Amino acid sequence: MAEHTYRVLVRGRFADLTDDQCASLRERLVGFDFLRSGGFSEEGALTYDEKLDFFSYRVILTAEKGADDAGLRRATAALDALGVDFKGLRATVTDMDEMKVNRPKRLA
């Protein structure tokens, strides 16, 4: 089986955040530019807003199969590195090699 490139979007909710964790997460938001840093990348990007309820993690992976599991593991590692609890993780996977590209028709 050949390797494919996948965009994996992992969504979830923060759980049982302490005041210190909330303050730390809000500090990370200062100066964060979602349009430049919040998209899909090979490094992965964790995004959330000041409400600190929901978050998303976007990553580009190359794999033969199991991109959803790999994406969940990467998101879990990013959240563990911040020292926060979470719940309800779910992954949505898009195979970029299988996407149909609709090119605009030329006008005569």
Side-chain angles (χ1 to χ4, degrees):
M1 179 180 245
E3 285 191 337
H4 286 238
T5 301
Y6 299 95
R7 281 186 170 184
V8 183
L9 174 61
V10 179
R11 294 183 176 161
R13 296 182 84 165
F14 291 112
D16 304 323
L17 294 175
T18 65
D19 291 340
D20 289 340
Q21 289 171 325
C22 288
S24 175
L25 289 171
R26 286 192 177 105
E27 283 178 23
R28 294 186 74 233
L29 285 175
V30 175
F32 181 77
D33 185 356
F34 178 78
L35 295 177
R36 294 181 191 258
S37 304
F40 289 93
S41 67
E42 292 180 357
E43 297 80 30
L46 179 67
T47 59
Y48 52 90
D49 64 13
E50 65 276 349
K51 293 179 187 175
L52 301 179
D53 191 11
F54 295 96
F55 62 83
S56 65
Y57 181 81
R58 294 170 171 86
V59 64
I60 296 175
L61 298 172
T62 303
E64 289 183 13
K65 58 181 180 177
D68 53 345
D69 290 335
L72 288 169
R73 284 193 304 273
R74 295 272 302 267
T76 300
L79 292 161
D80 287 344
L82 293 174
V84 297
D85 291 329
F86 51 89
K87 60 184 177 182
L89 286 186
R90 61 190 182 285
T92 305
V93 179
T94 303
D95 186 340
M96 301 306 291
D97 297 332
E98 298 292 326
M99 287 189 68
K100 179 180 176 184
V101 177
N102 291 322
R103 303 206 190 281
K105 295 181 182 180
R106 293 186 182 184
L107 298 175

